[in-house]
Amino acid sequence: MLCFRTAERKTAVKVFLIAVMVSLPVLSFFAVVLAAAFVEPAQAGIPVYVMMPLDTMNNDGSLNNPDGVKNNLQTLKNTGATGIMVDCWWGIVETSPKSYNFSGYSDLFDIANSVGMKVQAVMSFHKCGGNVGDTCNIPIPNWVTNIAKQGNSDIFYKDQDGNYDDEYLSLFTDTQSLYEGRTGVQLYSDFMSAFAEQFKSELGSLIVEIQVGMGPAGELRYPSYQMAHWQFCGIGAFQCYDSYALQDLASSATAAGHSDWGSAGPNNAGDYNSHPTDTGFFGEDTSQNNYESDYGKFFLNWYSQALISHADRVLKVASNAFSGTGVGLAGKIAGIHWWALAQSRAAEATAGYYVTNGNDGYEQIASVFAKYGANIDFTCLEMLDSEQPSSCACGPQEVVQDVRVAAKAGGTGFSGENALARYDTTAYNTIETEAGQSSSTGGQPMAPLDAFTYLRLSDTLLQSDNLNNFHNFINAMNGI
């Protein structure tokens, strides 16, 4: 039942008494006041959503433990949470080409609706398994990975040693008709159109946001820090060695008048676990063809612009698929905070974020998101610089502000997440403090925090003390 909060009930009573005193028609006026008491007031502050477990769906497409899901969602509802976020796994839904099974998601959305929870649905075109916190194994569809097994591993990103990563299709296949006659972008478009048709009556009401996956872990980035090869706080490795990427690089280098730059990526950029000063490319000597040299600027611009073009292509088809439904769009940017305080910002660079040499790759991304009305979702809002190892030049607080400034300048909205599971008041206070700020430490205006999504629902979160802390956090966010 919807009703006034305490202060609003008191106001209603006062109005009623005044009406009696001035001899208004009491019964009719009382009816007006009573009706008003059942109007839900607009939600104040910042809404908080909760990510569902990665294994919410079984690999056969059914909902995992529906009764448990309903109980957990009711518990979250009681804390004041607005809704949930859930991955809609490509590898579960489209097990054969153009045949889509959303049955488990229909069951989940029915439960969310019955409990009164809104839904953020993630179009998860990536593999689950192999990233930090992954607790399941959901590959991308077998009929897609079979293309690699049958000899064309270039559908996936490759590093300088020829290792390929099967988390997500190479963006350089976006326009290649490699997938039973379809291009990469057509795969994504068809999936989102099928989702929009299946849930057309829920879009814009129950389902309030579609987050469009555009890379590994659902983030717009290259898989530069793969768990199979990388340890924190290595700079990562460039992922531009599949044949389609190399063709694009060669073409761009020739167009720039330097065909000699187009045969490969930098040969002096170290490996996954290098530090910037271990390498020539991310060092400070321009004679080493480093990131500040003409070659370095060309390569970083080409690499980052390819990623931005991927976002443009995928968000365009997402916008078309969900046009007129009233649902919001979003895309995620990774919170790569290590080496963010170093001049080269190497770890961001290998992931595709070009934010050195006076270039603001985050603002360029924000402008593309704005073009399609998509918000930025950004991670690591719970992190403090002081919690990170000083030897890795970490700057999570600075990166959060960089992206919020970019969102404001680029004309799009901003939402946030925590990068790692945290249950302590220090993490919650850090998020609350960031949410309450409207300008960076340098005085630049920042996009406000539109919503926050907590990572993630678990038995640990539901433990008494942790749940109380979470409830207090939601109350604090509602007051901002």
Side-chain angles (χ1 to χ4, degrees):
M1 180 180 293
L2 304 180
C3 59
F4 275 153
R5 291 170 291 194
T6 301
E8 293 165 323
R9 286 197 300 268
K10 290 179 179 178
T11 300
V13 171
K14 289 178 181 178
V15 171
F16 171 68
L17 292 175
I18 293 171
V20 173
M21 292 172 63
V22 297
S23 301
L24 288 173
V26 176
L27 291 177
S28 61
F29 189 83
F30 179 74
V32 172
V33 174
L34 185 62
F38 286 87
V39 176
E40 177 76 9
Q43 178 171 343
I46 299 170
V48 176
Y49 295 78
V50 181
M51 292 185 204
M52 294 295 289
L54 293 169
D55 60 355
T56 295
M57 295 296 152
N58 297 311
N59 281 43
D60 65 2
S62 62
L63 179 61
N64 184 4
N65 188 12
D67 291 339
V69 167
K70 186 169 185 176
N71 290 337
N72 288 341
L73 263 58
Q74 186 61 63
T75 299
L76 292 178
K77 179 68 175 177
N78 293 341
T79 67
T82 298
I84 58 171
M85 173 182 280
V86 63
D87 289 284
C88 296
W89 296 108
W90 183 28
I92 287 178
V93 171
E94 191 181 1
T95 56
S96 59
K98 296 188 178 182
S99 179
Y100 304 96
N101 175 17
F102 291 109
S103 60
Y105 293 100
S106 294
D107 293 339
L108 174 63
F109 298 161
D110 285 345
I111 292 172
N113 189 48
S114 72
V115 173
M117 300 285 274
K118 301 297 186 182
V119 175
Q120 297 171 321
V122 184
M123 304 291 99
S124 296
F125 299 115
H126 61 284
K127 170 186 175 181
C128 179
N131 266 302
V132 175
D134 282 358
T135 57
C136 60
N137 180 31
I138 305 172
I140 64 175
N142 286 335
W143 56 271
V144 176
T145 58
N146 283 342
I147 296 171
K149 294 174 183 176
Q150 293 167 2
N152 187 5
S153 60
D154 289 298
I155 63 172
F156 294 120
Y157 292 112
K158 287 185 176 180
D159 64 20
Q160 62 188 348
D161 297 319
N163 300 309
Y164 73 84
D165 180 74
D166 64 357
E167 291 180 78
Y168 185 82
L169 297 177
S170 169
L171 66 85
F172 298 98
T173 71
D174 278 355
T175 59
Q176 304 287 332
S177 298
L178 301 170
Y179 309 104
E180 301 200 3
R182 290 187 287 171
T183 67
V185 167
Q186 286 172 332
L187 296 177
Y188 310 138
S189 177
D190 290 347
F191 182 96
M192 289 187 282
S193 294
F195 184 94
E197 177 61 26
Q198 177 72 33
F199 298 110
K200 58 187 175 184
S201 62
E202 289 91 352
L203 291 171
S205 52
L206 173 65
I207 303 171
V208 295
E209 181 180 274
I210 298 295
Q211 186 173 116
V212 184
M214 291 179 279
E219 298 167 334
L220 177 64
R221 64 173 175 87
Y222 294 95
S224 55
Y225 50 101
Q226 303 162 30
M227 295 296 104
H229 306 291
W230 174 87
Q231 293 181 334
F232 184 83
C233 56
I235 60 174
F238 290 115
Q239 305 290 315
C240 58
Y241 292 88
D242 64 80
S243 62
Y244 306 103
L246 291 173
Q247 289 170 20
D248 193 88
L249 174 59
S251 176
S252 296
T254 298
H258 288 278
S259 58
D260 54 315
W261 290 350
S263 60
N267 62 6
N268 59 347
D271 59 28
Y272 288 95
N273 295 307
S274 297
H275 288 190
T277 53
D278 298 336
T279 75
F281 188 78
F282 291 114
E284 303 305 320
D285 185 354
T286 56
S287 69
Q288 297 296 312
N289 279 334
N290 77 339
Y291 69 95
E292 296 175 294
S293 67
D294 289 343
Y295 164 73
K297 291 175 181 177
F298 160 79
F299 177 79
L300 291 177
N301 184 69
W302 168 79
Y303 190 69
S304 64
Q305 287 301 315
L307 186 68
I308 292 170
S309 295
H310 175 62
D312 193 299
R313 289 188 290 268
V314 178
L315 288 175
K316 181 178 180 179
V317 296
S319 178
N320 290 339
F322 296 105
S323 176
T325 64
V327 75
L329 293 180
K332 187 186 289 189
I333 298 177
I336 301 176
H337 60 85
W338 52 104
W339 305 113
L341 301 183
Q343 185 172 328
S344 64
R345 302 187 73 159
E348 291 161 284
T350 58
Y353 307 146
Y354 182 19
V355 285
T356 189
N357 293 333
N359 193 72
D360 191 344
Y362 293 133
E363 185 175 337
Q364 293 168 10
I365 292 170
S367 296
V368 170
F369 277 41
K371 180 179 175 182
Y372 299 105
N375 281 7
I376 288 174
D377 182 26
F378 192 70
T379 63
C380 80
L381 266 68
E382 85 284 10
M383 292 184 176
L384 293 169
D385 292 5
S386 59
E387 296 172 330
Q388 315 306 319
S390 58
S391 58
C392 297
C394 298
Q397 293 172 276
E398 287 78 7
V399 177
V400 169
Q401 291 198 357
D402 285 350
V403 177
R404 288 185 66 184
V405 168
K408 180 72 172 181
T412 193
F414 179 92
S415 298
E417 300 178 2
N418 50 311
L420 301 174
R422 296 278 295 268
Y423 312 98
D424 57 286
T425 55
T426 297
Y428 290 136
N429 290 340
T430 301
I431 297 164
E432 293 161 21
T433 299
E434 181 61 40
Q437 296 176 343
S438 60
S439 60
S440 69
T441 53
Q444 297 170 289
M446 301 192 301
L449 183 63
D450 293 332
F452 183 83
T453 302
Y454 176 82
L455 179 153
R456 83 179 52 246
L457 175 61
S458 66
D459 291 341
T460 306
L461 174 64
L462 298 179
Q463 292 173 3
S464 178
D465 289 346
N466 291 338
L467 194 63
N468 286 336
N469 284 344
F470 184 63
H471 188 185
N472 292 336
F473 166 67
I474 290 178
N475 286 339
M477 295 292 276
N478 286 341
I480 293 176

